[in-house]
Amino acid sequence: MKVKQLLAGLAFALAGATGAGLAADNVKIGFITKFPVPFFATMEDAAKAYAALNPGVEIVFGQGASATDIEGQIALIESMVTQGVQGIALTPVDPTVAPALDKAIAAGVKVVLMDNNIPDWTGRTALATTDNYAAGKIAGGYLKSVLKEGDSLGILEGVPGVPALDDRVNGMLEGLDGLKVNIVGRGGTNCTEELGINVAQDLLTANPDLKAIYAACGPPAAGAAQAIKNAGIASDAIVLVGFDFCCGEAEALEAGIEDATVAQFPTKMAELGVDALVRAIRGEAVESLIDSGAALVTKDNMASFQ
């Protein structure tokens, strides 16, 4: 009798273990991006493709209204926890979303950040991102190749205080590598085309001899191209360098108004981020920092990035 009871208990334990293993194969995660622009649409499409190739993965999607929609992102995080996700992959809009993520982690949810980090926050399982500082250096290296000592440079920042966007500017400045240029102005754009137009117009009006503009996001780069066009400035009279290769930059490059931009790889970023999250939920080890890469895009090579 004792042997039968032992075998029955063992069978029950094995059945339980098998059931747990099967349950672990089915993963439900949340995928949150900042706001509606093509870059994040590409990331969402990549996550959908990943789910289609992995039938055991269910993804709940959410997106904020703007680059500063902190409350919206917090609400999405809380909603996904309520919906029972096991993990959340997100592009954090601002470091102040960290407390909401802490609550999610306390509820047993794993978190993978994409696109940008939250400095000094240790709750993430992994970060899948462009090395924005290194990518900024690519832009700075290009500017160094086309500018000379004493030339004037205006900077269209993204959202000042967001680490990834600040890194794009600071990396660009280091990429100038000792070339002394005159920075005549820098202004935040919230990564919008409208503010890109406004800040670029102000720079052009205040500095008739402006030699270059650097934009840390795609939409304001397109905005700067429009401002240059509106001002009637010849495309070869000013250098425009952007970042993201999105949101009208292809058209600006084709027209010769934008000279170069730095492309990220949003498809790769999303795939790597989602895969790391799924594997972590299933108990596998993942790298804490996953670099999705960056490259310089010009009119000559842009076809290979489209």
Side-chain angles (χ1 to χ4, degrees):
M1 180 64 69
K2 288 183 179 180
V3 173
K4 289 182 179 180
Q5 289 175 336
L6 179 62
L7 290 174
L10 180 59
F12 180 80
L14 287 172
T18 303
L22 289 173
D25 287 340
N26 297 308
V27 174
K28 182 178 182 180
I29 66 172
F31 189 92
I32 303 172
T33 50
K34 292 180 184 178
F35 59 105
V37 293
F39 182 88
F40 295 123
T42 299
M43 291 187 69
E44 189 169 302
D45 288 344
K48 290 175 180 176
Y50 181 96
L53 291 172
N54 295 272
V57 177
E58 177 186 354
I59 304 181
V60 180
F61 292 93
Q63 188 174 78
S66 71
T68 56
D69 186 12
I70 298 168
E71 292 183 0
Q73 186 159 93
I74 290 172
L76 285 168
I77 294 166
E78 293 173 345
S79 172
M80 289 185 177
V81 174
T82 301
Q83 294 178 65
V85 300
Q86 297 157 276
I88 295 175
L90 84 161
T91 59
V93 70
D94 186 272
T96 54
V97 303
L101 294 175
D102 286 332
K103 291 178 182 178
I105 291 169
V109 176
K110 292 188 181 296
V111 174
V112 167
L113 303 181
M114 302 175 296
D115 190 35
N116 54 284
N117 195 16
I118 299 177
D120 303 320
W121 184 67
T122 59
R124 65 176 171 83
T125 294
L127 168 65
T129 186
T130 304
D131 183 335
N132 284 281
Y133 195 87
K137 288 176 67 176
I138 293 173
Y142 178 83
L143 284 165
K144 181 181 180 182
S145 74
V146 295
L147 297 179
K148 65 181 186 300
E149 199 91 358
D151 279 346
S152 53
L153 169 66
I155 300 173
L156 307 187
E157 299 176 316
V159 183
V162 173
L165 301 178
D166 290 345
D167 280 349
R168 296 177 186 182
V169 174
N170 295 330
M172 179 276 294
L173 294 172
E174 183 174 328
L176 290 171
D177 192 25
L179 178 68
K180 293 181 179 179
V181 297
N182 182 23
I183 298 174
V184 295
R186 48 196 296 174
T189 64
N190 287 345
C191 286
T192 67
E193 183 173 347
E194 180 181 8
L195 285 177
I197 293 174
N198 293 342
V199 176
Q201 284 177 340
D202 290 344
L203 286 168
L204 292 167
T205 301
N207 305 278
D209 296 325
L210 187 65
K211 295 298 183 183
I213 294 175
Y214 171 65
C217 308
Q226 186 61 50
I228 291 168
K229 183 177 179 180
N230 292 346
I233 298 172
S235 59
D236 60 354
I238 187 168
V239 176
L240 173 61
V241 176
F243 198 112
D244 277 335
F245 188 44
C246 80
C247 319
E249 285 189 276
E251 292 80 0
L253 286 165
E254 184 64 36
I257 303 173
E258 186 171 24
D259 297 86
T261 187
V262 177
Q264 300 186 82
F265 301 105
T267 295
K268 185 177 179 183
M269 187 185 298
E271 289 172 348
L272 292 172
V274 169
D275 187 62
L277 183 58
V278 169
R279 290 191 292 114
I281 290 169
R282 290 174 172 165
E284 300 177 32
V286 298
E287 295 290 331
S288 62
L289 180 60
I290 305 165
D291 184 5
S292 53
L296 185 74
V297 181
T298 64
K299 183 177 180 178
D300 292 338
N301 71 358
M302 61 184 281
S304 63
F305 291 89
Q306 293 176 316

